[in-house]
Amino acid sequence: MSITTHPYGNTLYGKKVDLFRLENERGTVVEIINYGATITSILTHDRDGTLSDIVLGFDTITGYESSNNPYFGATCGRYANRLRRGLFTLNGKSYQLAKNDGENALHGGLRGFDKQVWEAQVNSDSLILKHLSLDGEEGYPGALLVEVTFQLTEENDLRIDYQAETDQPTLINLTNHSYFNLAGGGTIRDHHIQIHADHYTVVDETAIPTGELRSVAGTEMDLRCSTAIRTHIDQVQGLGYDHNYCLRQADGSLAIAAEVVEPVSGRTLTCLTTEPGIQFYSGNFLEGVEGKSGHTYHKQNGFCLETQHFPDSPNQPAFPSTRLDPKETYTQTCIYRFSHA
């Protein structure tokens, strides 16, 4: 496995951005920029040996900095997903965050981790990206040192390991926000998906959990068996899937969370995680986004598998905790495994 470094331009603030190209002996390629610790390209083979890019994104740093960027490939934090009204209480003190999703806070705020230039270090077989989030950044307490390690294995696993430490009690919930399309373009409605979860977090009209964990059995949310995405998507609350599934294995061990197959190409994506939840998002808000290689992305042209703790956990005492204290180390692992049938 090789890693090469290439210039990618400068941000609007004049910071230099690099692109890191990870390639294994099978010819699988993953490209990552240190702006937002963002995956910009993943090239994998189909059953006939054709190599295609299976993630959505932009060609330049200008695209990733634009207001049209729906978190393509980004590392989201300090708190990925939503917090009700941008509020939480920690040790009896209330904190008000920016409301950047209607009345709620989303994916870390106005300048979350997805909009930071991370410090990069290349080891022989891995890329390590680091960001020091200062006390008060985006309204969160505590200085938080975050480290994300990307490794592409010869077995076609893209392994993402997260680690963080804080000097004050704080919240943390990190995820990767890649939009996949295993066909290399077009709709994802004909992809088949299976999610290993018996319950999901019910949400209100603003996508904030009500606190109820509802059984998927007999509902449009039931993806326990491999199912074409188009089968129930038009019956799902809102514009399509944008829900957190409560995974069966929630003890922190690494386990398969979801599998997606694109029948024509044969490409398969298996997602493994140590997290208790996974947000399945079917790209409902893609509306004519001008992307890379001349592509225009439309509704349901990409899907996300965001491994995570549950949305709004700080305001839901029954949910798994997202609190991090000094002398503790936050860790999680996500693996995106690529194959073809």
Side-chain angles (χ1 to χ4, degrees), residues 282-304:
S282 51
N284 311 313
F285 295 101
L286 295 174
E287 298 290 349
V289 179
E290 298 294 329
K292 57 188 172 185
S293 303
H295 287 101
T296 300
Y297 305 127
H298 299 285
K299 181 181 177 181
Q300 296 165 8
N301 278 182
F303 68 90
C304 304

Side-chain angles (χ1 to χ4, degrees), residues 54 180 182 258-262 267-271 303 305 335-339:
I54 61 166
F180 295 95
L182 302 184
E259 295 141 312
V260 184
V261 178
E262 200 286 302
R267 288 192 184 90
T268 299
L269 170 61
T270 304
C271 178
F303 68 90
L305 296 174
I335 293 176
Y336 294 123
R337 176 172 294 161
F338 309 109
S339 59

